[in-house]
């Protein structure tokens, strides 16, 4: 079979894929939004009103992610294996701001909600890698101004990144797999409906949800598999690589 016979795959991931690496999700019982309010830490208004409070929220998450005990799990590794062994195209679109997909070896990857280990200058637009704390007094490494650096993260009410590239891939794919997301946050939660409507390469793309439990959008999917990501994702990657996609 040549490359064209292998459907292009788009994989959407959310906080659930990183849960077994030790990172909290957002909407589970003990999740992040049970401890802080979105309006206080994850909107442009919150940052304008209380920049130090927002920096503190992201400083704690950045410190957690870089502490050394948070590593990719079998689900991240399975997706990197799929990319290495799949003869067709594959793109991972993650809502996550951690770097676990990269550290597992995924390369065709985009962070639609930004990256915790990057900062952006509100004045010169410079994007820089950043593993330490941020604060209002910290100077931009490029323009030298203080008080304009923010986490390179998409807050509520802000446009997610690379949306054109995402929709272009959704419209061409033959297989769409959603992993570890509750299907609450748009536009990501609308991707499965977009794939169904666009039809994909084969006129009808196959869609699968792999999650701990049914998401808000579960009924949109052709196929669902529930269980911890470190179990269901490697199993599903094995199924795809043995030619079982779409069944
Ligand atoms: C936009 C970055 C339009 C920050 C995040 C009013 C004004 C403006 C917009 C809106 C509005 N009302 C609604 C909206 C749209 C809004 C939205 O959808 N709100 C929701 C709450 C209703 N969306 C936006 O604002 C987006 N932008 O619409 O822009 C626009 C148009 C033109 C011009 C300008 C703008 C921006 C959304 C991005 C917000 N930023 N994060 C940060 O991380 O701190 S969202 C946040 O939620 C994370 O990115 C997270 O990834 C994302 C989705 O959550 P999930 O990943 O799904 O995590 P969750 O905890 O919910 O679920 C985890 C799942 O895993 C569960 O199902 C669980 O069962 C499962 N699980 C748990 N353990 C495991 C597991 N699965 C497998 N194995 C396990 N072990």
């Amino acid at each position: 079979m040549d490359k064209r016979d292998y459907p292009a795959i788009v994989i959407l991931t959310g906080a659930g894929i990183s849960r077994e690496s030790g990172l909290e999700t957002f909407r589970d019982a003990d999740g992040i939004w049970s401890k802080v309010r979105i309006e206080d830490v994850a909107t442009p208004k919150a940052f304008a009103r209380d920049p130090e409070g927002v920096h503190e929220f992201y400083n704690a998450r950045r410190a957690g992610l870089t502490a050394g005990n948070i590593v990719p799990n079998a689900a991240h590794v399975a997706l990197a294996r799929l990319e290495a062994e799949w003869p067709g195209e594959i793109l991972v679109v993650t809502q996550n701001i951690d770097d676990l997909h990269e550290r597992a070896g995924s390369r065709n990857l985009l962070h639609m909600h930004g990256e915790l280990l990057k900062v952006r200058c509100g004045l010169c637009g410079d994007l820089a890698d950043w593993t330490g704390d941020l604060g209002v007094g910290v100077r931009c490494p490029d323009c030298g101004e203080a008080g304009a650096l923010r986490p390179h993260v998409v807050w509520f009410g802000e446009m997610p990144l690379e949306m054109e590239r995402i929709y272009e891939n959704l419209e061409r794919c033959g297989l769409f797999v959603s992993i570890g997301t509750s299907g609450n946050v748009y536009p990501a939660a609308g991707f499965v409906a977009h794939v169904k409507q666009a039809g994909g390469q084969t006129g009808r793309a196959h869609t699968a949800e792999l999650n701990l439990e049914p998401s808000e959008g579960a009924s949109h999917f052709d196929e669902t598999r529930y269980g911890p990501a470190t179990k269901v994702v490697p199993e599903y990657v094995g199924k795809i690589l043995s030619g079982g996609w779409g069944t």
Side-chain angles (χ1 to χ4, degrees):
M1 289 168 81
D2 79 16
K3 200 171 155 76
R4 279 187 307 280
D5 298 327
Y6 293 91
I9 302 176
V10 175
I11 296 181
L12 172 70
T13 65
I17 199 170
S18 298
R19 184 71 198 85
E20 290 161 273
S21 293
L23 291 179
E24 289 174 317
T25 62
F26 290 86
R27 293 169 187 82
D28 284 333
D30 57 350
I32 294 176
W33 300 144
S34 71
K35 297 169 186 139
V36 283
R37 288 168 4 108
I38 289 177
E39 299 72 21
D40 294 339
V41 295
T43 67
K45 275 207 188 95
F47 189 58
R49 185 178 59 241
D50 176 19
E52 282 301 359
V54 173
H55 281 314
E56 221 173 280
F57 172 64
Y58 286 98
N59 289 347
R61 288 172 68 191
R62 202 176 295 112
L65 179 59
T66 54
N69 58 339
I70 304 291
V71 295
N73 63 53
H76 298 105
V77 172
L79 293 185
R81 175 190 167 213
L82 181 59
E83 180 177 327
E85 297 180 17
W86 183 246
E89 285 177 67
I90 175 169
L91 173 68
V92 176
V93 178
T94 187
Q95 300 174 87
N96 300 339
I97 60 176
D98 64 56
D99 63 340
L100 296 176
H101 282 301
E102 291 88 332
R103 282 160 57 191
S106 285
R107 292 288 165 271
N108 291 347
L109 165 72
L110 70 87
H111 287 266
M112 65 180 289
H113 290 163
E115 297 177 64
L116 185 55
L117 302 184
K118 284 195 169 66
V119 294
R120 194 167 77 230
C121 177
L123 289 176
C124 72
D126 179 53
L127 209 50
D129 292 334
W130 202 274
T131 52
D133 282 354
L134 257 192
V136 291
V138 177
R139 290 188 177 284
C140 167
D142 196 69
C143 70
E145 290 299 314
L149 287 179
R150 61 167 279 181
H152 178 53
V153 164
V154 176
W155 286 323
F156 287 92
E158 293 186 320
M159 182 58 99
L161 307 173
E162 302 203 61
M163 288 307 295
E164 226 172 279
R165 180 177 164 207
I166 294 171
Y167 282 122
E168 195 270 326
N169 279 274
L170 291 175
E171 287 151 19
R172 270 190 315 107
C173 77
L175 175 60
F176 175 73
V177 189
S178 175
I179 302 172
T181 180
S182 64
N184 271 292
V185 175
Y186 288 83
F191 287 172
V192 60
H194 193 88
V195 168
K196 310 295 285 183
Q197 183 180 84
Q201 279 167 333
T202 56
R204 202 178 106 59
H206 183 70
T207 57
E209 171 173 87
L210 312 180
N211 205 47
L212 195 59
E213 68 211 354
S215 73
E216 294 290 317
S219 60
H220 288 287
F221 290 90
D222 301 314
E223 183 181 3
T224 55
R225 291 181 171 215
Y226 297 118
T230 53
K231 179 175 178 303
V232 298
V233 177
E235 281 170 0
Y236 198 70
V237 164
K239 180 183 174 203
I240 296 174
L241 290 174
S242 56
W245 73 81
T247 53

